[in-house]
Amino acid sequence: MTRRELLKKSTVLGLAATMAGDETWAMPASVKSGNGFFEFNVGELQLLVISDGDILVEPVQPTFAPGISGSEIRKVLAASYAPTDYLDLGINILVVKQQNRVVLFDAGCGHLYGSASGKLVANLLAAGIDRKDITDVVLTHAHIDHLGGLTDADDNLVFPNATVHISESEYAFWTENSPDFSRSRVSDSKAESMIKQAKKTLSVVEKQLRFFRSGDTLFGCLEMEIASGHTPGHTVTRIYSGDKELIHLADISHTHTLLLAHPEWGNSFDHDFHEANKTRRKMLARVAAKKQRVFSYHFPWPGIGFIRERSAGFEWVPQSFASPYLSNHKSKAG
């Protein structure tokens, strides 16, 4: 069976049923980078990207570019030397270490999407971080592939010592009686599934929750900005230390191909399809104009690079690293 077939099978199984992982976790010898994690710096901050695995989207439509002709989609994908009949989305989890804090951005899929994902805890351990060492989890938004890893299959807390930070507007939306998806392109059944899981998970972690608003600063190094559309409280974060910074784009764009070349093509899971398209173009234009280094949750590993304007849209310029052992080159990597 090919990797693609395995991905497809595991993703379908994960969406159909809740699956618990059977992986054995072991601490390797002291290393700085491995198959499931990547270390770098932003100024004096130590950051790591941890892989939770990936999500296969096949076929591309109707999840992405609903209403666009298939020939146009294949043309754009082919121009990027990408497969033309499916998308393989990374799940990149960012960790920020600051003195006695270990801050996790989102928690991945957990047990909810099958064996191609849910690898966060194992890869954290491989990077030398025990799940109990996580002091804070910052949720960019409450979609299943971002909060699913907060609890296990038995509704136990995966990060029992962590405070969970979420925007007030995001929490308010998912916990209201009937969240409104009338401006979305997602099916009713999928909307109901997202609502059910968000409500369930947020109720389990309720005692851990702390709320922020757009413009707030967390821990003296995280500047929070609500960039609504994908969800009402979807959050972009400026991570900074001295004159160095990294912009965590979360789900501004899920693909480094379709939604950069054509931000208006959209994602059916966007809570407000048209607002998300406007927000996407606005944010991409801003980081491109400022030449800011960005991090993207779903872009190819490790999701670090730059956005550049091209024609009527944008293109992805991944940052190149000569060596994975970046802790030896802090002044250059930061």
Side-chain angles (χ1 to χ4, degrees):
M1 184 177 291
T2 66
R3 168 175 164 75
R4 179 180 170 189
E5 290 169 337
L6 283 168
L7 277 170
K8 183 177 181 181
K9 182 177 180 181
S10 63
T11 301
V12 171
L13 287 172
L15 291 171
T18 297
M19 299 175 62
D22 297 319
E23 297 177 351
T24 299
W25 303 331
M27 180 71 75
S30 178
V31 293
K32 293 300 180 185
S33 293
N35 290 336
F37 65 96
F38 183 83
E39 182 179 336
F40 66 110
N41 296 87
V42 172
E44 296 301 315
L45 295 173
Q46 180 186 4
L47 277 69
L48 296 95
V49 183
I50 309 291
S51 176
D52 190 52
D54 53 346
I55 298 173
L56 187 71
V57 180
E58 184 179 26
V60 175
Q61 292 178 301
T63 299
F64 292 99
I68 305 301
S69 71
S71 61
E72 281 295 303
I73 292 173
R74 290 189 292 273
K75 180 180 178 181
V76 171
L77 291 172
S80 298
Y81 302 99
T84 59
D85 56 345
Y86 68 93
L87 295 171
D88 194 3
L89 307 182
I91 310 171
N92 306 317
I93 309 291
L94 195 66
V95 175
V96 177
K97 288 187 174 182
Q98 181 201 48
Q99 297 175 345
N100 61 343
R101 287 189 182 275
V102 183
V103 183
L104 194 68
F105 274 85
D106 295 321
C109 298
H111 61 282
L112 298 172
Y113 269 71
S115 60
S117 60
K119 304 178 186 300
L120 173 60
V121 173
N123 285 330
L124 279 170
L125 194 59
I129 303 172
D130 188 274
R131 64 188 181 87
K132 295 180 181 179
D133 295 334
I134 302 298
T135 60
D136 301 89
V137 178
V138 176
L139 291 178
T140 62
H141 60 296
H143 278 168
I144 294 174
D145 58 322
H146 292 256
L147 58 63
L150 288 175
T151 59
D152 64 17
D154 297 317
D155 292 335
N156 297 310
L157 299 175
V158 174
F159 307 105
N161 300 319
T163 299
V164 179
H165 306 264
I166 188 172
S167 70
E168 284 186 350
S169 53
E170 186 74 1
Y171 179 81
F173 172 75
W174 292 102
T175 56
E176 64 185 34
N177 290 333
S178 299
D180 180 12
F181 277 85
S182 62
R183 297 181 297 281
S184 175
R185 303 282 179 91
V186 73
S187 68
D188 290 342
S189 61
K190 289 181 179 178
E192 290 173 6
S193 177
M194 290 192 296
I195 293 168
K196 180 179 179 180
Q197 189 61 51
K199 285 182 179 294
K200 179 180 179 181
T201 303
L202 291 173
S203 68
V204 173
V205 302
E206 184 175 8
K207 293 182 179 179
Q208 296 175 288
L209 292 176
R210 298 292 184 275
F211 303 108
F212 61 82
R213 297 179 179 179
S214 193
D216 285 353
T217 297
L218 303 182
F219 321 131
C221 64
L222 307 179
E223 184 179 331
M224 319 306 290
E225 178 182 359
I226 304 303
S228 58
H230 185 54
T231 64
H234 176 263
T235 303
V236 166
T237 307
R238 175 177 171 260
I239 302 162
Y240 62 93
S241 173
D243 63 349
K244 304 298 183 182
E245 65 179 6
L246 178 74
I247 309 301
H248 190 320
L249 291 177
D251 279 8
I252 285 294
S253 176
H254 287 71
T255 77
H256 68 296
T257 51
L258 295 180
L259 298 189
L260 289 191
H262 292 276
E264 75 281 1
W265 281 4
N267 173 1
S268 65
F269 284 91
D270 290 335
H271 162 257
D272 186 322
F273 188 82
H274 294 295
E275 182 185 16
N277 291 348
K278 293 178 181 177
T279 298
R280 183 178 302 110
R281 182 171 289 279
K282 174 185 175 182
M283 293 298 303
L284 294 175
R286 189 171 81 187
V287 297
K290 293 184 177 182
K291 299 181 180 179
Q292 291 171 300
R293 185 166 59 154
V294 304
F295 171 82
S296 182
Y297 192 80
H298 288 299
F299 279 16
W301 177 262
I304 306 166
F306 301 86
I307 303 295
R308 181 165 58 197
E309 288 197 44
R310 181 181 181 185
S311 186
F314 305 87
E315 66 177 347
W316 175 238
V317 183
Q319 181 174 359
S320 57
F321 299 98
S323 167
Y325 300 98
L326 296 179
S327 62
N328 295 325
H329 304 280
K330 290 183 179 179
S331 63
K332 300 296 185 182

